[in-house]
Amino acid sequence: MKATYRVDKEGAGTRLDAWLAQQLPGVSRSRVQKWIKAGSVLRNGEKDTPHAALEEGDEIAVDAVDAPDADAPLVPRHDIPLEIVYEDEHVVVVNKPSGLIVHPAVPGESETLANALIAKYPEIAKIGDAHDRPGIVHRLDREASGLLVVARTPAAFANLKSQFQSHVVKKEYAVLIDGEPPQDEGTIRLAIG
């Protein structure tokens, strides 16, 4: 798909992903977001973010011909090792290493925990809210390591999702720092960023 659009007065202030999805009937907003992140959508000749606020007169160019299919199934990656801490017929608990992302950030990305999981547990490919997040109800950042619980059944997915949404699940974090803090103990009450 190759097309160019001009933002009119009514489109000004709208998010790029929402506006473009309106211009492309039959193309989901999540697919548009993936195109934007993959660089297949340019705003005034430059890459931008899905949540960027548009201005009247912006030119939006879409060249999704070379973009990987956002709806293509994940490629199983048997070469990515998994450290399974616990598993039964309902869930798997995996120790995610630092440096590995949980699920693809852009279409076609395959060096992810999700790709490794479907290699070992192909039945989870259809579990969850999105095909690129099989059985995944929470995530850890690329740099973080730690335990991730993954659903193996639709019932387990719904139950885990409900627990995370209602904050029943208690999370604990340990942080390693580089350098020497100014004091030996204390409390920081700021956003992590």
Side-chain angles (χ1 to χ4, degrees):
M1 157 182 234
K2 206 169 194 172
T4 303
Y5 302 90
R6 179 89 45 200
V7 178
D8 60 15
K9 190 176 187 177
E10 290 76 35
T14 307
R15 285 175 53 127
L16 173 57
D17 58 349
W19 183 86
L20 190 54
Q22 289 175 347
Q23 311 308 306
L24 302 168
V27 177
S28 71
R29 187 167 166 183
S30 65
R31 185 166 190 159
V32 168
Q33 289 172 345
K34 289 176 183 179
W35 285 350
I36 295 167
K37 290 175 185 175
S40 298
V41 174
L42 301 179
R43 176 181 172 202
N44 300 321
E46 303 284 330
K47 288 184 181 183
D48 214 332
T49 61
H51 61 271
L54 296 175
E55 297 177 9
E56 183 178 0
D58 281 348
E59 182 180 275
I60 309 302
V62 180
D63 186 359
V65 174
D66 298 327
D69 184 359
D71 299 321
L74 293 179
V75 176
R77 290 285 302 269
H78 297 278
D79 60 318
I80 300 173
L82 290 173
E83 182 185 343
I84 305 301
V85 175
Y86 174 84
E87 73 176 291
D88 63 24
E89 66 272 16
H90 306 287
V91 298
V92 174
V93 178
V94 60
N95 188 13
K96 185 196 90 65
S98 176
L100 183 66
I101 60 172
V102 173
H103 56 78
V106 294
E109 187 170 29
S110 69
E111 194 164 328
T112 76
L113 184 67
N115 294 82
L117 285 165
I118 63 163
K120 184 165 177 68
Y121 306 99
E123 74 276 9
I124 70 167
K126 296 188 187 315
I127 305 296
D129 293 334
H131 82 281
D132 60 348
R133 299 174 189 194
I136 296 171
V137 293
H138 67 111
R139 65 174 192 81
L140 295 170
D141 290 340
R142 178 190 302 260
E143 296 80 16
S145 63
L147 300 179
L148 199 77
V149 62
V150 179
R152 293 182 71 182
T153 66
F157 182 84
N159 186 289
L160 289 168
K161 183 176 175 181
S162 172
Q163 289 183 55
F164 275 93
Q165 288 176 336
S166 61
H167 303 286
V168 172
V169 176
K170 184 174 174 115
K171 303 177 199 174
E172 289 187 22
Y173 297 91
V175 179
L176 299 176
I177 61 168
D178 183 19
E180 195 169 321
Q183 49 193 68
D184 290 338
E185 61 182 68
T187 301
I188 300 172
R189 287 195 172 97
L190 297 171
I192 298 172

